[in-house]
Amino acid sequence: MTDRRTELAKNLAAVEERIASACAAVGRERDEVTLIVVTKTYPASDVRLLHELGVRHVAENRDQDAAPKAAACADLNLRWHFVGQLQTNKVRSVASYADVVQSVDRPKLVSALSAAAVRAERELGCLIQVALDAESGRQGERGGVAPDGIEELAAAVAGSPGLRLDGLMTVAPLAGPYAGRQQAAFERLMEFSSSLRAAHPAANMVSAGMSADLEQAVAAGATHVRVGTAVLGVRPRLG
Ligand SMILES: *Cc1c(COP(=O)(O)O)cnc(C)c1O
């Protein structure tokens, strides 16, 4: 074992333990929650080690970094999630390797993703990113649509060739009424998920929770947690 492999194995085991305890605390089965490891800023060699250690879902937030990494790991059985703010000029590239785009937050992005998915002959899973702190008609600081825009976007995704509506994603807001109240924020997201599922029963994915707040996300009912730092270490640069 390389030192890095040992370190990643130890960190993964600790995160696994946290997820298992969080599930047990609220009477959920461990397999109701999927761990997505956010590998942004870390090299393809780490992705390879994580795969050896059993990780099957990874996430990236910048196409410039993700595209070469996904290409370098194309032989691995991995699902790639795109979790960053996405410009339409990057959509064609992202659609070539991503399995799920978690940051769908405006109609223009839906049409661009649909065109790119059709062209690539791939089906792209889409999560609507919800900005719990955004006012009606506005975007969140870190992307995302205001809650009253979810329905329209969901209908657009559901009606677009090449796209599959999978559910909702959020990042706990740093400002506004939910600042510092992660559990309340994630519970609010679950309410939006219930409404969404009434119209789109298959859109049952709820992506919430990161290294600092995965327990609150699991308690609220998240199906997917996105963990970077706790597995890979503190990132060398902002990302
Ligand atoms: C970086 C990132 C994460 C992981 O954050 P950590 O605090 O490192 O666990 C999760 N979600 C998104 C959207 C991110 O950009």
Side-chain angles (χ1 to χ4, degrees):
M1 279 226 228
T2 63
D3 287 349
R4 182 58 170 158
R5 193 188 148 119
T6 308
E7 183 185 2
L8 292 178
K10 183 171 137 267
N11 292 347
L12 260 185
V15 167
E16 179 53 44
E17 174 62 35
R18 285 177 60 191
I19 297 172
S21 307
C23 285
V26 293
R28 299 184 68 192
E29 297 292 334
R30 169 63 188 91
D31 66 7
E32 291 175 40
V33 180
T34 300
L35 169 64
I36 303 171
V37 179
V38 184
T39 50
K40 63 188 183 194
T41 77
Y42 287 95
S45 55
D46 279 351
V47 177
R48 212 159 263 286
L49 289 172
L50 289 167
H51 180 266
E52 281 178 32
L53 294 166
V55 170
R56 292 294 177 266
H57 293 261
V58 293
E60 290 281 331
N61 73 336
R62 288 160 50 100
D63 176 61
Q64 304 91 291
D65 302 330
K69 234 184 272 186
C73 298
D75 58 315
L76 305 178
N77 168 26
L78 280 173
R79 286 176 69 76
W80 292 80
H81 297 253
F82 191 86
V83 299
Q85 285 178 261
L86 182 51
Q87 303 306 316
T88 47
N89 64 348
K90 304 287 188 200
V91 157
R92 228 166 103 180
S93 172
V94 169
S96 70
Y97 59 84
D99 296 289
V100 181
V101 175
Q102 298 205 359
S103 45
V104 175
D105 62 0
R106 56 198 194 281
K108 225 180 118 186
L109 188 53
V110 175
S111 43
L113 283 166
S114 173
V118 167
R119 187 191 167 101
E121 298 182 11
R122 300 187 73 227
E123 184 177 63
L124 273 185
C126 292
L127 301 187
I128 310 296
Q129 182 180 345
V130 182
L132 293 163
D133 56 341
E135 287 167 30
S136 178
R138 307 279 302 269
Q139 303 280 123
E141 283 281 309
R142 299 145 95 186
V145 66
D148 67 355
I150 297 172
E151 219 175 289
E152 183 194 350
L153 267 183
V157 170
S160 294
L163 304 184
R164 181 185 68 239
L165 180 65
D166 281 347
L168 301 180
M169 179 271 234
T170 203
V171 178
L174 296 173
Y178 289 105
R181 300 172 58 224
Q182 286 92 334
Q183 179 127 7
F186 299 145
E187 281 166 2
R188 191 82 183 109
L189 185 72
M190 288 307 300
E191 293 172 11
F192 295 130
S193 170
S194 300
S195 315
L196 179 73
R197 279 174 283 147
H200 307 275
N204 57 6
M205 198 172 150
V206 179
S207 172
M210 318 199 296
S211 294
D213 52 23
L214 73 86
E215 282 85 359
Q216 288 89 337
V218 170
T223 62
H224 290 68
V225 293
R226 309 177 307 269
V227 179
T229 313
V231 172
L232 290 139
V234 175
R235 282 180 289 278
R237 59 180 163 86
L238 262 185

